[in-house]
Amino acid sequence: GGFAHTKTGGTVSDSYTTGHVSSLAGFIGGFYGWNNGGTTNRSYATGNVYGDDIIGGFVGTGGGATFIDCYASGGVNGDDIVGGFIGSVGGDTITTSYSLGTVTGNTNTDYFAASGAPVSTDNYVYQSGCAVAPPVGCPQNGAIGYSDSNMKLQASYVGFDFGAVWQNVTDGTTYPSHQ
């Protein structure tokens, strides 16, 4: 991962990584390769992620981890189990988070979570071709998909704490970012 390959337990808050991550192996993510437990708050990854199997824009695979107010904006490219936010879910909880990048893979791909079902609340993802307006959108595994233009509307992000955690969106221009 761009921040750490493996994280076990503990809490990481207010952190980010902007570099691209590339590997010929699996368990690759923009922020973590593997997150085994613990909590990550208000953190993000903006670089592209390239790997083989179990690839995610924010985390490759989780194991009972909690992600709150996180986002990934880079593209994700791999072979199998490729997700815009997380590749493989292992009992993870994801809340008020989103992903923006394009997702390219041969099998088991999803705009948000490629394999397994996260316990999720109020998560959103860019989905090419989704023409359904907020708040309905296009359901994804663990998130609601929106077109790029709808991802740039503050009203799309039901449950996000604008003012305390997230900066207000300039409708039609920006995506949410942290305070």
Side-chain angles (χ1 to χ4, degrees):
F3 184 78
H5 179 267
T6 304
K7 174 188 164 286
T8 302
T11 299
V12 172
S13 298
D14 303 308
S15 299
Y16 66 92
T17 179
T18 59
H20 300 304
V21 179
S22 181
S23 174
L24 298 176
F27 300 98
I28 305 300
F31 200 82
Y32 300 121
W34 187 324
N35 187 6
N36 189 19
T39 301
T40 302
N41 298 303
R42 298 176 312 276
S43 297
Y44 64 91
T46 61
N48 295 326
V49 182
Y50 308 93
D52 186 24
D53 298 328
I54 311 177
I55 313 299
F58 193 80
V59 59
T61 191
T66 299
F67 304 95
I68 303 168
D69 299 322
C70 296
Y71 69 93
S73 61
V76 186
N77 191 322
D79 180 41
D80 184 31
I81 309 178
V82 182
F85 188 86
I86 186 170
S88 178
V89 177
D92 304 296
T93 300
I94 307 170
T95 305
T96 53
S97 296
Y98 74 92
S99 62
L100 292 173
T102 58
V103 177
T104 306
N106 293 317
T107 55
N108 298 311
T109 63
D110 190 88
Y111 290 101
F112 195 75
S115 174
V119 175
S120 62
T121 306
D122 300 330
N123 299 308
Y124 305 94
V125 60
Y126 163 69
Q127 181 180 346
S128 175
C130 178
V132 182
V136 177
C138 300
Q140 289 295 310
N141 186 19
I144 300 295
Y146 291 132
S147 66
D148 185 61
S149 60
N150 285 329
M151 290 293 287
K152 293 177 182 172
L153 297 176
Q154 186 164 317
S156 297
Y157 297 91
V158 175
F160 277 42
D161 187 352
F162 290 99
V165 175
W166 298 94
Q167 291 183 10
N168 288 330
V169 172
T170 301
D171 283 348
T173 305
T174 63
Y175 304 103
S177 60
H178 295 124
Q179 293 279 353

